[in-house]
Amino acid sequence: MTEPSAAPLTDRTIHAGLWTVGARLASRVIDFLTLLVLARFLGPADFGLVATAMTLIFIVEAVLELPLASALLRLPEITARAYSTAFTLGLLRGLLVAGLMAALAWPIARIYGDERLVLLVCTLALAPATRGLISPRMILFEKAMDFRRRGVLELLGKTLAATVAISIAVTTGSYWAITAGTVMTPTVMMLCSYVMAPMRPRLTLADWPLFADLVGWNFISQTISAINWQIDRILLPRFIDVASFGRFAAANDLSALPYQAVVAPASGPLMAAFASARDNGRIREAYLSSSGGLILMLLPIFVFMAMLSGPVIRVLLGPQWDGASPILAGLALAGLLAVPAIPMPPLVMVLGHSRSLATRSLMELIVRVPLSLVGVTFFGIPGAIIARAGGSLAVSVSSMALVKSAAGIGILDQLRVAQRPILSIIPSVLVLLACKHYLDFEQDLYVAFFASGILFCLTYAVSGYALWVIAKRPGGVEASAFRILSKILQRH
């Protein structure tokens, strides 16, 4: 059992995570609604065109990503000069991304044989350029484990972007609706961040040494990771038509939502929790607790998405997107394989083992790129899904080995935290199979879909609680979640 003194850290992490995950879930709801409307007014070919334009932008943005917030978070005291250095680095990155994409726009259009890509690429490059200019002083709230303002910032950006995108889609039916929404979100967030965390930056690189280590290893890691993330999107447009690629892109975006809604916002709280746990000598307990909690949360989402991919696609996108359902099922299962690796990056960054990220990315590259080249060339989308699954498995295996090396946490201990979630999902899967057999998803799609979801979630929650009680209520995420829930119920 976790010692009592460890409980407050877990509780604080969960509280912080609830704010960030809650805000991210709310923003994902906005994304869902936006996608629902856009899918009615635009077709797979429109999504495929924008996805093609975004592919190289994703790679360039990932390669040039600077972990400025992580570097600031490590500092015991942040000076005005450090803030200004972070701002200057973000500005230089933005200019480099925009200039590089403008130079590559015409070659990209030639490669894919569509002149529309020239203006699309130049316009979409504004998104990563503005994303890196958010006020560096926002990190003060994260150091205090106050993630409410970050959540509000994201909700503002998503809401205004959705309004603009839907308006353009309804009035014009043009793919520029997707482009406008993509650029509007980071632009609004950037402007609002200086209202929430005002600063008057000056251009300087005086504190560059504070960022050099993380930026150096991050560049290597992100370069390799960018190739891993986008290799299928680079290859597929050369071997399949634009409408099929649009279906793949839509399914890929849906399968990524759990990570975007849970994993991305959890990164800040996890780094703060691991930094505190490192100082208190409880890094092992903190890592295993966070890993178990993430598996507990994400496992049912991916399983539900894979088993009910058809209804998910029809409810969210409409029947004209039915061809995307087997793609979604495959990508959801592939994403499930990477869940055990999620807490590894914030852990190794806190421990000063940033090179482990590059090692992990290299292991994925060795597996995924050859599989993608062969799979996409000969089998198209199914080959890309198999390559994705192979890469995810490589990420999980290498992550567990690197965590053992960096923090001394055994591989069996890392696997053991998945026992209760896996056992809890078995009766939930049986319930879902019964729903698919007895409920009419053709005639009563929405009733059957939501009834299945409710029964699935209830079965999973009851099974998880029963297994936790049988295990004599050990400390960890379930114990902290139960304490927080009890306090909420007592207040009401």
Side-chain angles (χ1 to χ4, degrees), residues 248-288:
F248 176 86
N252 185 64
D253 290 343
L254 287 177
S255 69
L257 284 177
Y259 280 98
Q260 294 170 357
V262 176
V263 178
S267 179
L270 284 177
M271 282 200 69
F274 292 157
S276 178
R278 177 197 57 193
D279 297 337
N280 296 327
R282 299 187 180 280
I283 195 73
R284 179 181 181 277
E285 291 85 349
Y287 183 83
L288 293 177

Side-chain angles (χ1 to χ4, degrees), residues 221 224-225 228 344 355-371 387 390-402:
S221 174
I224 301 173
S225 295
N228 291 329
M344 179 266 197
R355 67 183 64 187
S356 295
L357 295 176
T359 302
R360 184 179 82 163
S361 297
L362 181 60
M363 295 302 298
E364 183 183 6
L365 182 79
I366 292 172
V367 174
R368 185 169 178 181
V369 170
L371 285 177
S392 296
L393 189 60
V395 165
S396 286
V397 172
S398 60
S399 292
M400 287 188 284
L402 291 166

Side-chain angles (χ1 to χ4, degrees), residues 365-388:
L365 182 79
I366 292 172
V367 174
R368 185 169 178 181
V369 170
L371 285 177
S372 295
L373 289 171
V374 174
V376 172
T377 302
F378 291 100
F379 303 104
I381 291 176
I385 294 172
I386 293 172
R388 180 81 61 91

Side-chain angles (χ1 to χ4, degrees), residues 195-375:
V195 177
M196 294 183 179
M199 67 172 289
R200 185 176 296 175
R202 62 185 183 88
L203 299 180
T204 179
L205 294 174
D207 274 355
W208 161 249
L210 299 176
F211 301 86
D213 176 60
L214 270 181
V215 169
W217 283 110
N218 187 77
F219 176 78
I220 298 172
S221 174
Q222 289 298 99
T223 300
I224 301 173
S225 295
I227 298 172
N228 291 329
W229 296 336
Q230 300 299 322
I231 185 65
D232 44 20
R233 295 171 70 111
I234 295 173
L235 295 173
L236 281 171
R238 300 285 296 173
F239 294 94
I240 61 176
D241 60 87
V242 68
S244 297
F245 185 57
R247 284 187 282 271
F248 176 86
N252 185 64
D253 290 343
L254 287 177
S255 69
L257 284 177
Y259 280 98
Q260 294 170 357
V262 176
V263 178
S267 179
L270 284 177
M271 282 200 69
F274 292 157
S276 178
R278 177 197 57 193
D279 297 337
N280 296 327
R282 299 187 180 280
I283 195 73
R284 179 181 181 277
E285 291 85 349
Y287 183 83
L288 293 177
S289 178
S290 63
S291 179
L294 287 167
I295 294 172
L296 188 72
M297 186 181 303
L298 289 172
L299 178 62
I301 299 175
F302 281 115
V303 169
F304 183 84
M305 192 179 291
M307 292 188 66
L308 285 187
S309 60
V312 167
I313 289 293
R314 288 196 295 273
V315 167
L316 297 179
L317 304 183
Q320 70 271 28
W321 290 83
D322 275 345
S325 59
I327 304 173
L328 176 61
L331 291 175
L333 292 175
L336 183 60
L337 295 174
V339 171
I342 292 172
M344 179 266 197
L347 175 73
V348 297
M349 283 193 286
V350 165
L351 295 179
H353 289 258
S354 300
R355 67 183 64 187
S356 295
L357 295 176
T359 302
R360 184 179 82 163
S361 297
L362 181 60
M363 295 302 298
E364 183 183 6
L365 182 79
I366 292 172
V367 174
R368 185 169 178 181
V369 170
L371 285 177
S372 295
L373 289 171
V374 174

